[in-house]
Amino acid sequence: MIMDETIECPGCGLKLPDRHISSADRFNASGECLEMYYELTYWTLARQDCRFIHQHAVDAYEAQHGGGKTRPITAVFGLIGLYLALEKGYTGRQVQLAHMKIAFRRKDWPRLEPPARKAELTVMDVLTAETDEEKEEMLLKWAGSVWDIWEERQQWVREITEGTLFPSDT
Ligand SMILES: [Zn+2]
């Protein structure tokens, strides 16, 4: 019996059956992984919750799929969103507003080299959770596991976020 060929996502390391789906440059991801992400976003957007949990999915995916041909802002904004959500308790809606402020105030971002270590959770873990409540819980666990692998950059992210969002009056 011939094993199906699998393709490994360059961003998150998720292995999926290779269906030769081309990938977009916006993320450093396999087309197969990206398709899982789009499927997840159908669910997050359909929630239409006032907290806008969709934002956490965008940020976790961006922070997990930086590098490669992506723009530097992709990983940085993903990390800023994860920091605000996980350490400051921001809702997705509040993160979205913070992103807008930060994007307005600063245009150039350094290219962050993605950590060698892969996060334990991927978009697949959220998608395969059964109920809406379990999915939502897994979404935040996924975000946390992505934030964890960026340990060496966390302090930089905290400082750049606070410094840009709340510049001290001089
Ligand atoms: Zn991936």
Side-chain angles (χ1 to χ4, degrees):
M1 188 181 136
I2 300 164
M3 293 276 287
D4 285 336
E5 263 184 78
T6 60
I7 181 163
E8 184 173 336
C9 175
C12 68
L14 182 62
K15 291 191 181 80
L16 291 165
D18 190 352
R19 291 184 292 124
H20 307 283
I21 305 173
S22 64
S23 164
D25 289 350
R26 189 180 158 211
F27 299 112
N28 183 27
S30 67
E32 285 74 3
C33 177
L34 203 53
E35 202 173 64
M36 295 283 123
Y37 170 67
Y38 291 143
E39 200 175 314
L40 177 65
T41 63
Y42 293 139
W43 175 77
T44 53
L45 287 171
R47 298 288 283 163
Q48 299 195 331
D49 56 316
C50 57
R51 294 162 303 141
F52 199 55
I53 59 161
H54 173 69
Q55 186 64 45
H56 307 316
V58 175
D59 292 331
Y61 200 81
E62 286 187 341
Q64 197 169 27
H65 296 84
K69 287 184 277 181
T70 63
R71 296 190 303 151
I73 196 174
T74 302
V76 173
F77 268 46
L79 288 170
I80 288 173
L82 293 182
Y83 161 64
L84 289 172
L86 297 166
E87 295 196 0
K88 307 299 276 188
Y90 276 37
T91 63
R93 185 66 69 198
Q94 289 171 315
V95 169
Q96 195 183 32
L97 293 173
H99 273 154
M100 285 161 65
K101 264 190 199 164
I102 292 172
F104 181 75
R105 291 180 182 162
R106 184 176 165 155
K107 308 288 178 199
D108 61 310
W109 298 99
R111 177 170 290 283
L112 303 184
E113 203 49 49
R117 185 160 68 96
K118 302 288 185 204
E120 282 167 29
L121 300 174
T122 68
V123 61
M124 190 70 143
D125 294 292
V126 186
L127 260 187
T128 50
E130 281 185 17
T131 64
D132 284 348
E133 286 71 25
E134 283 165 355
K135 272 198 176 66
E136 223 174 280
E137 201 178 304
M138 191 53 85
L139 175 59
L140 288 174
K141 277 190 190 163
W142 172 42
S145 80
V146 174
W147 178 239
D148 280 351
I149 60 166
W150 284 93
E151 200 182 351
E152 286 177 13
R153 278 289 183 178
Q154 286 178 0
Q155 194 51 33
W156 180 84
V157 174
R158 291 181 188 110
E159 284 167 12
I160 207 90
T161 306
E162 299 294 331
T164 314
L165 265 187
F166 310 108
S168 51
D169 302 343
T170 47

